[in-house]
Amino acid sequence: KTGREEVGKMLREYRRKIYKKIRFETWYRKGNYYWSKRDKMDEIIEKYKGPEAFEDRRYLRRLKRDMIRSLFKYGSYYSEYFLYDYEGKDPEYRASFITEGIRMSFYPRMNKRKNTDILENKYRTYKKFENMYKREVIRIRKNEDPTQENLKKLQEFAGRHGEYVVKPVYAAFGKAVRIENIAMYDSVEDAHEHYRKYGAVIEEKIEQGWEMARIHEGSVNTLRIPTVIIRNEKNEPEIRLFHPSLRMGREGSFVDNFSAGGISALIDPDSGVIYTDGADKKGHSYECHPDSKVKFKGFGIPRWEEAVAMVKEAAMMIPDNHYCGWDLAFARDRGWCMVEANCTAQMGAMQMVEKKGRRHELEDLITQMQEKRDCDEAVR
């Protein structure tokens, strides 16, 4: 049994290493998606087109062929085919989007891979930007021993915070993020045993300020501010904001993530004012938040300059990392605080809301990033 466990562990580690190397490759992402969704096409079509799409079999066959063709040519996942309004559009329009199938290929061109783990491991991100988190965070390691010291750490943390947020160490799209309290378990030993199974980052819950709570009280609404570091005309480093957005939850959901049913609206980077309607990943558009009835256009983000200053400072703290998506929340009595960082931040919301592709803009910025890298290497 021990031998089989060791072999299994070695195989899992080997798969992880292979995945880390190929996950940025477009052929892998397209092929993997095609295989995983081979039995889901009808479900996706019905979600966006309704049951009437199945009444015309010739139309349905043409639609499926075009969806598959778009996947392999443009990298558009089947949901993106509808969310970006690909149907009936010309090749130039379709090629203008940064789709999920090709998105990962951009990051190695912008960021050094050595920085990836700092920004994907949620606890390492916290340790790097601890002063910007403005709250207490602890980690329970995977298979961590339930020593008296480790149990005491968890017990004391839970004593200071009635409710807290539990996250996987590595996670995306708001998956498995939940609010818990120690009373949910029979004992601190029971809680520790649960968390050590996969490992967890446990955070003090953010008490949201009213300025942001009024747009949706049930979720901690966050800013997603992507930063890009380039060289300007004076050959000096310059940080630009790449289509920042506000993300809000729905119907009492604690998670605001766009991929978890939330709503996103775009923010003018100069003024900090929302200038679009909201949109969700189901293809719906909203003039006002459907729960709070607060209008999106014209909503001003509080203390926007402070949020911008924070992400610009953070961006300069990771050398050779020229693109990153920063998530900030507005905490009561603490102001803007960092939620997490994303060196492979999704770009769906910034394109979906306005049905406007950003690929050419990003390509232009990458050219300027490369110029910065050339200058840095010359200095070295």
Side-chain angles (χ1 to χ4, degrees):
K1 182 178 179 181
T2 303
R4 288 198 299 270
E5 289 177 350
E6 286 298 318
V7 170
K9 183 178 179 180
M10 289 174 59
L11 288 173
R12 287 193 295 273
E13 183 62 29
Y14 186 59
R15 284 197 296 267
R16 279 195 291 269
K17 287 181 179 179
I18 292 176
Y19 173 71
K20 283 184 177 181
K21 288 188 176 182
I22 67 174
R23 67 183 182 130
F24 294 98
E25 302 291 341
T26 57
W27 62 262
Y28 166 75
R29 292 181 64 80
K30 294 174 184 178
N32 183 64
Y33 183 85
Y34 175 76
W35 179 256
S36 65
K37 299 298 181 181
R38 62 193 185 281
D39 299 324
K40 302 288 186 181
M41 288 192 76
D42 286 352
E43 181 182 325
I44 296 170
I45 291 170
E46 184 172 5
K47 176 181 177 180
Y48 292 102
K49 298 290 290 185
E52 57 272 16
F54 297 87
E55 295 174 2
D56 187 337
R57 306 307 297 180
R58 292 180 62 185
Y59 165 74
L60 187 62
R61 285 194 298 271
R62 288 197 304 271
L63 178 63
K64 287 184 177 181
R65 283 197 300 268
D66 197 39
M67 289 168 65
I68 295 171
R69 188 182 303 113
S70 295
L71 168 64
F72 285 102
K73 186 170 183 178
Y74 306 108
S76 58
Y77 286 5
Y78 297 151
S79 57
E80 291 180 307
Y81 180 91
F82 299 106
L83 291 169
Y84 294 154
D85 286 341
Y86 267 26
E87 191 172 6
K89 295 298 194 303
D90 59 38
E92 183 179 0
Y93 173 86
R94 296 184 182 198
S96 69
F97 287 86
I98 306 165
T99 61
E100 279 298 298
I102 66 172
R103 174 174 65 90
M104 294 295 282
S105 66
F106 285 88
Y107 302 114
R109 300 168 59 193
M110 300 186 287
N111 304 329
K112 291 287 187 180
R113 292 199 185 191
K114 66 181 181 181
N115 293 320
T116 300
D117 195 58
I118 296 175
L119 298 169
E120 289 189 341
N121 181 307
K122 295 185 185 303
Y123 191 71
R124 290 192 69 188
T125 304
Y126 162 69
K127 295 302 290 183
K128 181 70 177 180
F129 304 103
E130 188 171 351
N131 65 318
M132 299 181 185
Y133 270 64
K134 303 180 183 179
R135 63 191 184 281
E136 187 178 7
V137 179
I138 64 171
R139 171 180 54 178
I140 307 295
R141 295 178 181 273
K142 184 178 181 180
N143 298 322
E144 178 181 272
D145 292 332
T147 62
Q148 288 300 314
E149 181 182 355
N150 290 334
L151 293 174
K152 182 181 179 182
K153 177 182 69 174
L154 177 58
Q155 182 74 65
E156 291 179 348
F157 176 90
R160 289 188 292 272
H161 310 293
E163 288 188 323
Y164 48 80
V165 179
V166 181
K167 299 177 179 179
V169 177
Y170 293 96
F173 316 127
K175 292 179 180 178
V177 177
R178 58 201 185 275
I179 298 177
E180 292 191 358
N181 60 72
I182 203 70
M184 295 170 59
Y185 299 92
D186 294 335
S187 63
V188 66
E189 290 83 1
D190 182 38
H192 186 273
E193 178 64 27
H194 182 80
Y195 298 141
R196 73 185 285 269
K197 187 175 182 181
Y198 299 105
V201 172
I202 304 176
E203 303 182 359
E204 175 185 351
K205 182 182 174 183
I206 296 172
E207 298 296 335
Q208 185 171 230
W210 68 267
E211 297 93 331
M212 293 298 291
R214 67 190 184 94
I215 201 164
H216 185 250
E217 188 174 6
S219 61
V220 177
N221 309 305
T222 62
L223 305 179
R224 163 60 63 84
I225 308 182
T227 55
V228 175
I229 304 178
I230 62 169
R231 279 278 177 184
N232 62 23
E233 293 179 354
K234 296 180 181 179
N235 200 33
E236 298 170 340
E238 178 181 317
I239 301 176
R240 294 186 184 177
L241 307 188
F242 192 61
H243 303 291
S245 61
L246 173 63
R247 306 182 304 175
M248 303 143 279
R250 281 216 56 194
E251 299 173 349
S253 171
F254 172 72
V255 177
D256 69 331
N257 196 284
F258 192 59
S259 296
I263 298 172
S264 187
L266 300 184
I267 303 168
D268 177 76
D270 296 321
S271 66
V273 174
I274 293 177
Y275 69 93
T276 68
D277 289 336
D280 64 21
K281 214 169 181 180
K282 296 179 181 179
H284 302 137
S285 181
Y286 306 91
E287 183 178 348
C288 303
H289 194 288
D291 301 324
S292 68
K293 310 306 178 187
V294 172
K295 187 175 181 179
F296 290 121
K297 287 183 180 179
F299 183 91
I301 304 301
R303 290 155 61 176
W304 174 248
E305 295 81 6
E306 292 179 26
V308 172
M310 178 177 286
V311 300
K312 286 188 174 182
E313 179 184 352
M316 296 302 294
M317 291 173 64
I318 306 288
D320 300 318
N321 209 78
H322 303 289
Y323 182 95
C324 191
W326 308 95
D327 295 347
L328 307 184
F330 192 74
R332 188 177 62 201
D333 302 326
R334 301 182 189 180
W336 289 109
C337 60
M338 189 177 294
V339 176
E340 61 185 44
N342 302 271
C343 60
T344 56
Q346 279 192 306
M347 303 181 192
M350 67 173 68
Q351 302 176 103
M352 237 169 263
V353 173
E354 295 186 293
K355 301 291 190 294
K356 184 176 181 180
R358 310 292 184 186
R359 183 172 182 174
H360 300 306
E361 293 177 56
L362 188 59
E363 291 283 6
D364 289 342
L365 290 170
I366 288 174
T367 300
Q368 296 175 70
M369 290 179 206
Q370 297 297 336
E371 291 172 358
K372 179 188 181 326
R373 283 187 181 179
D374 292 342
C375 292
D376 291 345
E377 290 171 1
V379 169
R380 292 194 192 103

